[in-house]
């Protein structure tokens, strides 16, 4: 018998289209239901089969990722991935996008992105202990960039600070392709006992289903559908689909859940994130192979006259759905009442294989669980290389004037370190609390990766997020691999061994063959690199349709890699901090001529050129360089280490001279001569290179370790004085570089001092 809904709306082709379903997808829905759906059922299918929830354009390719490894306790398919980090501890972590909401309403969009990813982590039984972010904005001088930067940073800071979770690092890229569609990717890592993982299973027929947390309102209805669509000139009108967060309520929810997890009352639990009550109920039932009955009249509500459609699709924040062990209901209510939160039995686990939704004594939806997942559209979309790929990869360096030794090279260096994509991010991270809970060992600006100390242990966890969208746009496979290699290199620079990866794959419209080609090739590169570095994918997110009109964002597969340090007391930052240190390079000083300038900040920010084909990652060389750096740090020999990434040799040396917040700068003098162009030596971005500093007495140990690992080593020079000198080619005051670098971000975007 069909469900009855006294105020049902006729299902017309126009209404189906408004819900984001194609005619073919609606026909598939009819095959599943064997009848016309109610309005509530149409809404449920629209969100569950949206790109955001079903991954219908990407699932056929995601299976190529490596997901198993010696440290993996929980891989993809749950709220977050979990890896073992030793001493009985594990960490849960994940990165997700909140792109469209953050463009429409930057403060709330970014804030609720942070809140959502934290819930994903503590749903696993983990206490969040650190957050990172990966942000992409349009051109610094675009009329909307300043407003978006201020709103996003304020939203991230507000939510994280109120939750008492330190924001310990991140990255920012400016590029005109993000003018109409910024990217806000949030990463959170939580700590839990290795044997204390909770999962989202609706198990145990007869067990009660409980709604816990904040009350339901109308905010966020159709949020998942909106996140699965491209933008247009009317994007601002989608503000009602952006959720409103309350970090103080989430803090209470966190503590209540952790108290619950200390009992044996909870069978399964899931965050009500995208698609709210709909996704949490169907996904929990699907994992367990069960069914559910939900009574919407019992759902706590903060708005009047909410319809069943709104109750099922609302994305109100700070809510969880849990399955309790039968007979523990009142004990759970008491826990949440202590934290001033609702906890209500709203349903029951059944063996029907269906989710039945009741409202006002009527059944307003009755949908089989397995088919909504198994029969969801899964597209093998056509893909083909962009027609302009050859043009993208063609770099005529003869059109770029090589810098001359002396003043021209010094002028270029001062200008480059203050360019929008390289300048200090202090304006951002000064607004974040990065020391709360007193576990942060290496803070923002001090090292290549953030480091958090484990409780009652010498061990630590390091984390880094990375992606260079210019490299991915020029060669998606090499650019995807480069993102993983860069994050792993950052971990090596603080002494950490990578153990797991999360990703956030941000691309344009997958219905365009060239976008799908970028996506497929990037996955190939990421998968290859994760295998090479022993850092399997344990969680992640796909965000498609990131474009406005016909302008797509540059492909941006952000990756976050987590590593383990055996002794945090040996972890090092990037700053020289003292004179008289030997400076050497692990890896080759220069690679193939021209390749290291492909996609470089030097070309992008000084010449507005993004062209060339970036060099392929030499995994054998990378492993040798990173392994050598890790072992030197573990032995206590290396005093500072820094990856040579964006900005090349000059930027790397300059940041080591600056040394991080509150550190007196120290100069450096090195000897290096170009094999070809001087600008390639100074600003080229060849991968597989790390600068290290150590006391001269330890030089023999450094050389022996490098030789033992087959790692190229070039001794460059010494620290001291107040200038950065590269042979006869470059001689510039560290103060001049620091002045340009220190306020370059604010200057470019037009921001005031923090």
């Amino acid at each position: 018998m069909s469900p009855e809904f006294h105020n049902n709306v006729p299902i017309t082709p126009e209404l189906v289209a408004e819900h984001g379903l194609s005619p073919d997808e609606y026909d598939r829905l009819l095959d599943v239901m064997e009848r016309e759906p109610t309005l509530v059922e149409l809404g449920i299918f629209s969100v569950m089969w949206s790109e955001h929830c079903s991954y219908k354009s990407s699932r056929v390719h995601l299976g190529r990722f490596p997901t198993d490894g010696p440290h993996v306790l929980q891989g993809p398919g749950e709220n977050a991935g979990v890896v073992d980090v030793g001493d009985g501890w594990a960490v849960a972590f994940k990165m997700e996008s909140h792109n469209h909401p953050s463009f429409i309403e930057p403060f709330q969009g970014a804030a609720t992105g942070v809140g959502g990813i934290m819930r994903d982590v503590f749903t696993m039984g983990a206490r969040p202990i650190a957050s990172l972010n990966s942000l992409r904005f349009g051109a610094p001088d675009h009329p909307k960039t300043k407003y978006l930067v201020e709103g996003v940073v304020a939203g991230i800071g507000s939510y994280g600070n109120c939750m008492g979770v330190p924001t310990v690092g991140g990255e920012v890229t400016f590029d005109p392709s993000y003018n109409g569609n910024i990217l806000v990717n949030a990463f959170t890592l939580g700590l839990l006992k290795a044997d204390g993982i909770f999962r989202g299973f609706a198990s145990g027929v007869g067990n009660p289903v409980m709604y816990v947390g904040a009350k339901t309102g109308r905010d966020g209805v159709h949020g998942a559908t909106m996140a699965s669509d491209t933008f247009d000139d009317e994007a601002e009108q989608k503000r009602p689909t952006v959720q409103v967060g309350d970090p103080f309520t989430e803090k209470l929810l966190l503590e209540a859940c952790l108290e619950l997890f200390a009992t044996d009352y909870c069978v399964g639990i899931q965050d009500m994130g995208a698609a709210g009550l709909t996704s949490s109920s169907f996904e929990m039932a699907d994992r367990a192979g069960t069914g559910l009955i939900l009574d919407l009249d019992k759902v706590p509500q903060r708005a009047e006259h909410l319809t069943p459609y709104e109750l099922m699709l609302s994305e109100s924040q700070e809510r969880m759905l849990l399955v309790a062990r039968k007979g523990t209901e009142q004990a759970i209510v008491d826990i949440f009442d202590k934290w001033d939160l609702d906890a209500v039995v709203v349903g029951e686990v059944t063996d029907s294989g269906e989710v039945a939704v009741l409202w006002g004594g009527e059944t307003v939806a009755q949908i089989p669980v397995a088919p909504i997942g198994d029969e969801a559209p899964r597209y093998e979309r056509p893909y083909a290389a962009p027609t302009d790929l050859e043009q993208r990869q063609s770099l005529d360096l003869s059109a770029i004037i090589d810098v001359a030794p002396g003043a021209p090279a010094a002028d270029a260096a001062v200008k480059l370190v203050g360019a929008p994509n390289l300048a200090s991010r202090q304006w951002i991270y000064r607004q974040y609390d990065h020391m709360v809970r007193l576990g942060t060992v290496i803070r923002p600006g001090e090292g290549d990766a953030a480091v958090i100390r484990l409780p009652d242990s010498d061990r630590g966890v390091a984390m880094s997020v990375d992606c260079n969208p210019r490299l991915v746009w020029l060669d998606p496979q090499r650019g995807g691999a480069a993102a993983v290699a860069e994050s792993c290199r950052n971990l090596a620079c603080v002494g950490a061994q990578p153990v797991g990866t999360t990703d956030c794959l941000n691309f344009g419209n997958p219905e365009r063959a060239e976008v799908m080609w970028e996506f497929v090739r990037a996955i190939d590169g990421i998968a290859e690199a994760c295998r090479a570095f022993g850092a399997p994918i344990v969680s992640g997110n796909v965000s498609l349709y990131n474009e406005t009109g016909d302008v797509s964002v540059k492909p941006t597969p952000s990756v976050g890699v987590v590593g383990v340090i055996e002794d945090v007391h040996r972890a090092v930052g990037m700053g020289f901090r003292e004179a008289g240190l030997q400076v050497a390079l692990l890896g080759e000083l220069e690679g193939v001529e021209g390749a290291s300038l492909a996609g470089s900040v030097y070309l992008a920010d000084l010449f507005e050129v993004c062209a060339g084909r970036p060099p392929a990652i030499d995994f054998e060389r990378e492993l040798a360089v990173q392994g050598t750096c890790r072992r030197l740090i573990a032995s206590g020999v290396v005093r500072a280490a820094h990856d040579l990434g964006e900005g090349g040799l000059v930027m790397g040396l300059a940041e080591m001279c600056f040394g991080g917040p509150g550190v007196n700068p120290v100069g450096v003098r090195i000897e290096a001569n170009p094999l070809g162009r001087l600008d390639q030596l100074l600003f080229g971005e060849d991968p597989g290179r790390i600068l290290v500093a150590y006391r001269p007495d330890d030089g023999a140990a450094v050389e022996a370790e490098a030789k033992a690992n087959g790692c190229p080593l070039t001794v460059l020079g010494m620290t001291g004085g107040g200038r950065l000198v590269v042979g006869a080619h470059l001689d510039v005051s560290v103060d001049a570089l620091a002045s340009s670098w220190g306020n370059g971000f604010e200057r470019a975007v037009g921001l005031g001092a923090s």
Side-chain angles (χ1 to χ4, degrees), residues 186-221:
F187 168 106
T188 290
L189 176 142
L191 184 67
L192 71 159
K193 286 294 186 179
D195 59 356
I197 302 173
F198 283 80
R199 296 176 171 87
F201 281 78
S203 302
V205 173
N207 277 335
V209 177
M210 299 186 71
Y211 172 117
V212 300
K215 291 178 170 60
T216 295
R218 290 187 171 87
D219 46 322
V221 174

Side-chain angles (χ1 to χ4, degrees), residues 152-167:
V152 165
V153 171
I156 292 171
S158 174
Y159 211 103
N161 294 352
C162 291
M163 283 291 293
V165 178
T167 301

